[in-house]
Amino acid sequence: MLPIQFPDNSSNMRYEYHRVREGPNYFISYYKNSSQLHYDPKNCWRTLGTAKFTDTGKTLKEWCLLMYDQYSIPQMEKWGSNDELGTPDTSFASEAMTEQEEPHENTKMVT
């Protein structure tokens, strides 16, 4: 789908909201010769640094929250409440961490 552009984009600052069919929607920010992908609207707004307190920064915050509320929250509700818990971690590392083994049990003291 086409990205939704922030209305006050300029040549030095550009923000886009991308809606996708699979996976979470996301923001892309282009600011100070850097581009970043954000899932959280507040992190997108925080890329401005101290400029977030200007009129454009406040407008960006409102736009980010509007896009998130309008498109992301209904998408998350459609997924269901079971996804909030996430999938269980079944990796080897998580199994190894559950074993409560004392590190000093297998050592011998040399005198």
Side-chain angles (χ1 to χ4, degrees):
M1 297 185 75
L2 288 174
I4 301 170
Q5 305 288 330
F6 176 57
D8 294 339
N9 281 341
S10 66
S11 60
N12 297 327
M13 176 190 81
R14 182 182 180 92
Y15 291 88
E16 300 174 350
Y17 184 71
H18 292 258
R19 296 176 57 201
V20 294
R21 291 184 182 175
E22 296 178 3
N25 298 334
Y26 57 90
F27 295 91
I28 294 184
S29 63
Y30 305 99
Y31 185 66
K32 290 189 176 181
N33 299 325
S34 170
S35 64
Q36 296 178 353
L37 184 132
H38 309 278
Y39 293 107
D40 185 22
K42 292 181 183 176
N43 285 339
C44 183
W45 170 66
R46 290 178 182 142
T47 58
L48 292 176
T50 57
K52 64 185 175 186
F53 300 110
T54 62
D55 293 335
T56 305
K58 292 174 184 175
T59 307
L60 175 65
K61 181 180 180 182
E62 292 173 9
W63 179 79
C64 289
L65 293 174
L66 175 70
M67 292 292 112
Y68 186 77
D69 292 340
Q70 187 174 1
Y71 298 112
S72 291
I73 292 179
Q75 184 183 24
M76 285 187 273
E77 290 172 356
K78 182 175 65 175
W79 291 340
S81 60
N82 294 339
D83 288 344
E84 293 175 0
L85 301 174
T87 58
D89 185 13
T90 58
S91 67
F92 175 75
S94 64
E95 293 174 4
M97 295 299 290
T98 58
E99 298 174 5
Q100 298 298 326
E101 201 174 290
E102 188 65 32
H104 303 290
E105 287 179 2
N106 296 333
T107 60
K108 296 182 180 180
M109 185 171 155
V110 177
T111 55

